[in-house]
């Protein structure tokens, strides 16, 4: 197994409900280490750039505007198989399909307002980490 890093975002629906600590506990309980973290408020332009891969999807405008609707906590998680492990801890995109004990099952309110984002593959993780963090900000 390889030690990996993945980009995680605690979304506005979760920061609004003061769930950052509870969500971070889930990551740490799963053996993921938070090696970088900051709370920021994205502009719609920044949110749209981050989710550019979805720009032709019908939900793009909703997603962009939601991600700019309040503060987010962007973070880098490190651990063995961190990308897959984080996706397991998050649960399915739609909370209705998420397994018991996962973040989205416990906290998400809808497929759009689903509390967390996590990178889906090593190349995406590298790009998404570089979108938010410089190398100096990653403290393992
Ligand atoms: P995320 O993992 O951040 O990656 C893309 C996001 O698009 C996804 O989580 C969902 O929050 C969002 N998304 C996917 N499908 C829909 C949908 N049908 N309506 C609104 N948002 C969606």
């Amino acid at each position: 197994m390889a030690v990996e890093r993945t980009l995680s975002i605690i979304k506005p629906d979760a920061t609004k409900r003061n769930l950052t600590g509870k969500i971070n506990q889930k990551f740490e309980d799963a053996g993921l280490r938070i090696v970088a973290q900051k709370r920021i408020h994205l502009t719609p332009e920044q949110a749209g750039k981050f989710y550019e891969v979805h720009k032709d999807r019908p939900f793009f405008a909703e997603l962009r505007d939601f991600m700019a609707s309040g503060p987010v906590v962007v973070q880098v998680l490190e651990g063995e198989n961190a990308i897959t492990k984080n996706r397991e801890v998050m649960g399915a995109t739609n909370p209705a399909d998420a397994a018991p004990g996962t973040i989205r099952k416990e906290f998400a309110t809808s497929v759009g307002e689903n509390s967390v984002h996590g990178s889906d593959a090593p190349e995406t993780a590298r790009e998404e980490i570089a979108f938010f963090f410089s190398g100096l900000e990653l403290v393992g």
Side-chain angles (χ1 to χ4, degrees):
M1 282 200 294
V3 174
E4 291 176 334
R5 285 176 171 173
T6 190
L7 190 278
S8 165
I9 306 178
I10 301 178
K11 296 186 179 186
D13 67 287
T15 62
K16 190 165 68 184
R17 288 176 288 149
N18 216 18
L19 292 170
T20 299
K22 287 199 171 88
I23 290 174
N24 280 347
Q25 190 71 56
K26 295 267 193 199
F27 295 140
E28 294 188 343
D29 286 349
L32 293 163
R33 182 177 297 273
I34 301 164
V35 298
Q37 177 168 256
K38 56 190 170 189
R39 182 174 167 107
I40 58 176
H41 195 147
L42 294 169
T43 64
E45 291 72 26
Q46 290 167 333
K49 182 99 183 97
F50 179 77
Y51 279 114
E52 202 165 23
V53 65
H54 296 306
K55 68 179 187 310
D56 296 326
R57 303 279 195 100
F59 57 80
F60 176 72
E62 180 188 332
L63 173 62
R64 178 197 60 206
D65 294 347
F66 166 62
M67 291 300 287
S69 69
V72 296
V73 175
V74 293
Q75 40 191 198
V76 179
L77 308 179
E78 182 182 87
E80 298 279 346
N81 288 327
I83 296 166
T84 301
K85 189 176 282 180
N86 181 39
R87 293 179 73 79
E88 287 168 6
V89 175
M90 289 193 300
T93 304
N94 187 339
D97 303 327
T102 61
I103 291 169
R104 284 167 170 161
K105 184 68 177 181
E106 290 191 13
F107 303 126
T109 55
S110 68
V111 68
E113 304 202 0
N114 64 354
S115 300
V116 280
H117 165 84
S119 308
D120 63 1
E123 184 54 31
T124 337
R126 266 189 294 279
E127 289 171 12
E128 291 184 353
I129 289 169
F131 187 89
F132 288 111
F133 293 99
S134 76
L136 280 175
E137 293 175 300
L138 305 174
V139 183

